[in-house]
């Protein structure tokens, strides 16, 4: 749930809770001078936090929602982040993504796969394969099933709620669905990190 801040900034409690564990992984994944495209940046709280903690990288936030784009821009201005570009409107399911101002050398996607149709996951990997050069990292964070089973009762309940809200949504099966999708799109599985609140962070490299 998003809580209103001084307009137009939005704030998510989950973003504040998970930003440090995510940052720890990103510090080991991202390279000097990476230009990072963040998919589904939401409120923008993550991008300003990561950009300030990783000053050697440049961040391109994106989101399809106008309210989120306004919030991202407001957070960047409020925090005076110099290495985050203006957010761009990007819907992963639109095959014609906007032109990037810099070549993308890394991609990060946090908490999107389970609150979007499966077609969004397919489009994400396909476009990432087109945009990223060889050996570039693609990092995805969120809840996942393992071998068709939920990893916790909380995730099982969350999955039920998601599917009740929209039957196209739901916690994805990492082993049965996401890993094969990534491999078919030209990505090699690199590392898997267990995160707080029964989430996972998965890192692939472009083949």
């Amino acid at each position: 749930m998003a809580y209103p801040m001084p307009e137009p900034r939005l704030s998510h409690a989950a973003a504040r809770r998970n930003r440090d564990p995510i940052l720890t992984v990103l510090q080991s994944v991202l390279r000097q001078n990476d230009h990072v495209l963040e998919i589904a940046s939401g409120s923008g709280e993550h991008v300003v936090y990561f950009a300030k903690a990783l000053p050697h990288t440049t961040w391109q936030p994106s989101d399809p929602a106008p309210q989120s784009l306004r919030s991202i821009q407001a957070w960047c201005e409020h925090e005076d982040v110099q290495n985050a570009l203006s957010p761009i409107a990007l819907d992963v399911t639109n095959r014609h993504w906007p032109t990037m101002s810099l070549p993308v050398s890394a991609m990060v996607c946090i908490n999107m796969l389970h609150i979007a149709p499966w077609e969004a996951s397919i489009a994400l990997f396909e476009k990432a394969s087109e945009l990223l050069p060889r050996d570039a990292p693609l990092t995805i964070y969120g809840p996942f099933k393992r071998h068709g089973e939920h990893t916790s009762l909380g995730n099982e309940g969350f999955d039920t709620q998601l599917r009740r809200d929209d039957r196209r949504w739901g916690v994805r099966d990492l082993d049965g669905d996401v890993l094969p999708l990534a491999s078919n799109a030209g990505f090699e599985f690199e590392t898997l990190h267990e995160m707080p609140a029964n989430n996972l962070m998965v890192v692939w490299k472009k083949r």
Side-chain angles (χ1 to χ4, degrees):
M1 179 180 294
Y3 297 92
M5 297 279 289
E7 285 295 336
R9 283 182 291 147
L10 301 172
S11 182
H12 297 274
R16 295 191 298 275
R17 288 195 302 267
N18 64 27
R19 63 187 185 182
D20 284 313
I22 293 174
L23 175 61
T24 297
V25 176
L26 292 178
Q27 286 171 327
S28 68
V29 170
L30 298 180
R31 303 154 300 179
Q32 191 80 10
N33 300 320
D34 262 336
H35 178 220
V36 187
L37 172 60
E38 184 189 25
I39 301 296
S41 299
S43 66
E45 293 168 281
H46 276 147
V47 73
V48 296
Y49 192 74
F50 301 152
K52 292 182 77 171
L54 300 165
H56 59 283
T57 59
T58 302
W59 288 76
Q60 175 62 76
S62 71
D63 204 273
Q67 184 183 29
S68 294
L69 295 173
R70 291 191 294 269
S71 180
I72 296 163
Q73 185 65 44
W75 273 112
C76 288
E77 293 173 358
H78 180 266
E79 297 292 329
D80 192 27
V81 179
Q82 300 300 311
N83 56 324
L85 306 176
S86 295
I88 56 175
L90 192 159
D91 179 345
V92 293
T93 60
N94 186 332
R95 299 295 176 175
H96 301 289
W97 285 19
T99 301
M100 306 297 158
S101 59
L102 294 171
V104 178
S105 61
M107 287 178 62
V108 172
C109 182
I110 298 169
N111 282 333
M112 186 200 79
L113 269 58
H114 57 288
I115 52 173
W118 178 241
E119 290 75 18
S121 297
I122 296 172
L124 172 64
F125 281 100
E126 287 181 351
K127 293 300 291 186
S129 184
E130 292 178 18
L131 286 174
L132 292 173
R134 185 176 180 181
D135 292 329
L138 168 62
T139 305
I140 295 180
Y141 169 95
F144 292 95
K145 293 179 183 176
R146 297 302 316 272
H147 305 288
E149 301 292 335
H150 288 290
T151 60
S152 71
L153 289 176
N155 278 4
E156 183 175 5
F158 183 42
D159 183 47
T160 300
Q161 177 188 328
L162 288 170
R163 295 179 187 277
R164 186 182 301 124
D165 291 342
D166 191 320
R167 61 184 179 82
R168 302 172 301 165
W169 296 0
V171 176
R172 308 302 176 189
D173 182 10
L174 179 63
D175 305 276
D177 295 323
V178 180
L179 288 177
L181 175 64
S183 180
N184 289 338
F187 287 92
E188 181 177 353
F189 172 76
E190 189 81 3
T191 56
L192 176 67
H193 303 266
E194 294 193 4
M195 308 294 281
N198 300 302
N199 289 305
L200 298 174
M201 197 158 176
V202 193
V203 181
W204 289 268
K205 290 289 182 69
K206 172 70 181 300
R207 288 198 295 265

